Amino acid sequence: MANLQPNSNNPKVDYEYRRKKSAEEMRMQVVTFTLMIFFTVIAFAAVGAGFSKWFIIPFVLLLAVVQVAFQLYYFMHMSHKGHEAPQLFMWSGVIVAFLTILAFLTIIWW
């Protein structure tokens, strides 16, 4: 088959390109969904196993952050072009939240 490039003069090639891209996106969404279910099961298992709260709380929060990143980039399509401004605002918010929490923890523990 010919090299599949978008915006070609041949509608069949353009259709095949879009179909291939859609199949790749669907595969990534299914893999991401499976990973999120796996992370949820791991979080429930960690809580059910009776580990120390000093381990469970950061561990579950870490899994939650990973799941949020997966949802934003794969289900909300933030990895696509044209989403640079929302990404900038979200990452700015994450940095501000992290610095605020760090400042409060520093004040409390100092």
Side-chain angles (χ1 to χ4, degrees):
M1 185 177 271
N3 187 10
L4 299 178
Q5 295 294 325
N7 301 326
S8 66
N9 292 331
N10 188 349
K12 181 176 172 131
V13 171
D14 196 37
Y15 170 76
E16 289 295 324
Y17 176 79
R18 285 193 314 250
R19 186 172 167 204
K20 182 179 177 185
K21 292 300 277 183
S22 294
E24 288 175 10
E25 283 186 31
M26 181 61 76
R27 183 179 51 83
M28 286 304 296
Q29 286 185 350
V30 168
V31 168
T32 303
F33 180 73
T34 304
L35 283 172
M36 287 191 300
I37 295 296
F38 179 70
F39 289 152
T40 302
V41 168
I42 289 176
F44 274 105
V47 171
F51 289 116
S52 166
K53 71 177 183 177
W54 296 105
F55 170 75
I56 290 176
I57 292 172
F59 183 69
V60 169
L61 287 175
L62 175 69
L63 291 177
V65 168
V66 170
Q67 285 190 4
V68 166
F70 277 151
Q71 288 179 9
L72 286 174
Y73 277 95
Y74 291 106
F75 290 124
M76 301 302 289
H77 304 288
M78 289 306 223
S79 60
H80 293 170
K81 288 183 179 179
H83 292 247
E84 291 82 11
Q87 282 181 0
L88 174 69
F89 286 115
M90 282 191 300
W91 286 115
S92 299
V94 167
I95 291 171
V96 168
F98 175 74
L99 290 176
T100 303
I101 291 169
L102 184 66
F104 283 131
L105 289 176
T106 303
I107 291 170
I108 290 171
W109 284 345
W110 194 282

